[in-house]
Amino acid sequence: MASSGNQVKASHILIKHQGSRRKASWKDPEGRIIKNTTRETAVSQLKALREDIVSGKSKFEDIASRISDCSSAKRGGDLGPFGRGQMQKPFEEATYALKVGEISDIVDTDSGVHIIMRTG
């Protein structure tokens, strides 16, 4: 097993859009909303949510469990520990650049747009 020294832990909130690789999610199995969501719309939604989290108005986990298009939503967005090479590159780089407890800016991957909170 890889030593945990080079692993990180993170939670994220994913919003899928027209450009996402898979245009369906647990809350939109038909992909009706996703197919009609532009990247711009997804980004502005996510920016507003990030404001609420950073200002303390909302909890990251609560928003993740309601809003995130990733199946990790049911764990409050928690992805658990991962090492390099396990996530899409932009996601990995953003996570490793954060300090524990910090929240990223908008991160684009093939899955959609994310904000990431490093938790370990």
Side-chain angles (χ1 to χ4, degrees):
M1 227 176 81
S3 82
S4 59
N6 43 24
Q7 283 203 324
V8 290
K9 256 191 82 175
S11 295
H12 77 138
I13 297 166
L14 165 67
I15 297 183
K16 291 187 171 191
H17 54 77
Q18 292 161 344
S20 296
R21 201 173 39 191
R22 248 190 86 240
K23 294 173 191 54
S25 79
W26 65 274
K27 63 184 230 271
D28 185 13
E30 307 282 301
R32 287 198 184 105
I33 299 162
I34 294 166
K35 288 183 187 112
N36 288 302
T37 303
T38 62
R39 180 187 170 274
E40 289 66 40
T41 306
V43 166
S44 55
Q45 281 180 317
L46 210 45
K47 282 190 166 150
L49 294 169
R50 187 183 186 281
E51 288 291 297
D52 285 352
I53 295 164
V54 172
S55 70
K57 217 164 83 178
S58 305
K59 273 193 146 67
F60 193 98
E61 306 75 54
D62 296 346
I63 291 185
S65 55
R66 286 205 323 274
I67 307 285
S68 184
D69 278 312
C70 178
S71 57
S72 65
K74 50 181 168 295
R75 297 184 300 279
D78 186 7
L79 293 166
F82 59 89
R84 292 197 180 274
Q86 287 182 266
M87 297 288 177
Q88 294 177 51
K89 203 76 186 139
F91 193 96
E92 171 191 303
E93 283 168 2
T95 306
Y96 275 87
L98 294 168
K99 292 185 181 71
V100 173
E102 276 185 341
I103 297 173
S104 73
D105 284 322
I106 306 295
V107 178
D108 271 288
T109 70
D110 293 342
S111 303
V113 289
H114 314 248
I115 52 175
I116 306 162
M117 179 169 66
R118 183 163 171 181
T119 56

